[in-house]
Amino acid sequence: SEIALEELPGVGPATAEKLKEAGFNTIEAVAVASPSELATTAEIGESTAAKIINAARQAADIGGFETGDIVLERRKMVGKLTTGCTEFDEMMGGGIETQAITELYGEFGSGKTQLAHQLAINVQMDREHGGLNGSVIIIDTENTFRPERIAQMVKGLSEKHGMELDPEEFLQNIHVARAYNSNHQILLVDSATDLANELRDMGKPVRLLIVDSLMAHFRAEYVGRGTLADRQQKLNKHMHGLLRFGDLFNASVVVTNQVMAKPDAFFGDPTRPVGGHIVGHTATFRLYLRKSKGDKRIIRLVDSPNLPEGEAVIAVTTAGLTD
Ligand code: ADP
Ligand code: MG
């Protein structure tokens, strides 16, 4: 953020120092803290903490109104990133859109991480091959990023297109950070913004931001009913940070999500994505991945602002994702 902590009402130099020592280095970090958390770590009263947090939220929200023609100009820039699978691309109206969050949800082993790896490769290709000539940032919360798998998939893509693609070059354009907890995960979006600015200046614009998995830390840390409001507030902040990143850099934002059993389901599929209405409403496209026979996976487009619901079948193979 451009604004210094000291500029917030109620924050003197001493409080700013305490906040920074406690890891609240930016306005954004303060904005997503809970009053009790801030009060304890910065040794201030809880009502003071609440006031500081409110001020930080106002300062952090840089939004505003813009006219429709400006929105249209930005929409014209929307890119479509190929999944490498014909049916899947068609269902998505050409591919995974930039300036949007696409959520992949499904059970363990349904192929969310595999798809994320494939997209991290495809986005680097030129437009003729369905890519966006872009680099990639991955926020890895479950330690499931595998460079070896990237190399394997690049080899597969080389064969598919009859080109000599160098796995090393692809790996050099994938920037991975491990997120150790939910606060860290949120802060990594700020770091991703800094990095994306640098990469843009270097002529290697980031066209894909992956969060794999979105909810794992939030679910592990916020257990019990009393913590839900707090969790949703932070999650909301995180989702909007991701949306902003997508708009700012004309990038696709892809997040993976887990499912949980729906105890009240009498009909249909007894699972649903976690994260509640915050994730549901902020994700632009929601895709439900399901295991099928052998290496087949069924992908269902559950929610989209401008496309009909539909299903596509793909295969997860050693060479990568195919029809
Ligand atoms: P999740 O939805 O939990 O992220 P993954 O994307 O990790 O699931 O999918 C794991 C599955 O992907 C494995 O069960 C396997 O079927 C397939 N898979 C992983 N690596 C390979 C590979 N090298 N070759 C072929 N299939 C693979
Ligand atoms: Mg995974």
Side-chain angles (χ1 to χ4, degrees), residues 107-115 149 152 297 316-318:
E107 281 174 7
F108 178 76
S110 58
K112 305 179 293 292
T113 298
Q114 294 301 308
L115 178 52
R149 185 65 179 123
Q152 215 173 38
R297 299 288 189 279
V316 179
T317 72
T318 303

Side-chain angles (χ1 to χ4, degrees), residues 26-45:
T26 63
I27 300 281
E28 282 78 9
V30 174
V32 300
S34 77
S36 60
E37 185 183 32
L38 204 69
T40 317
T41 44
E43 296 162 325
I44 49 179

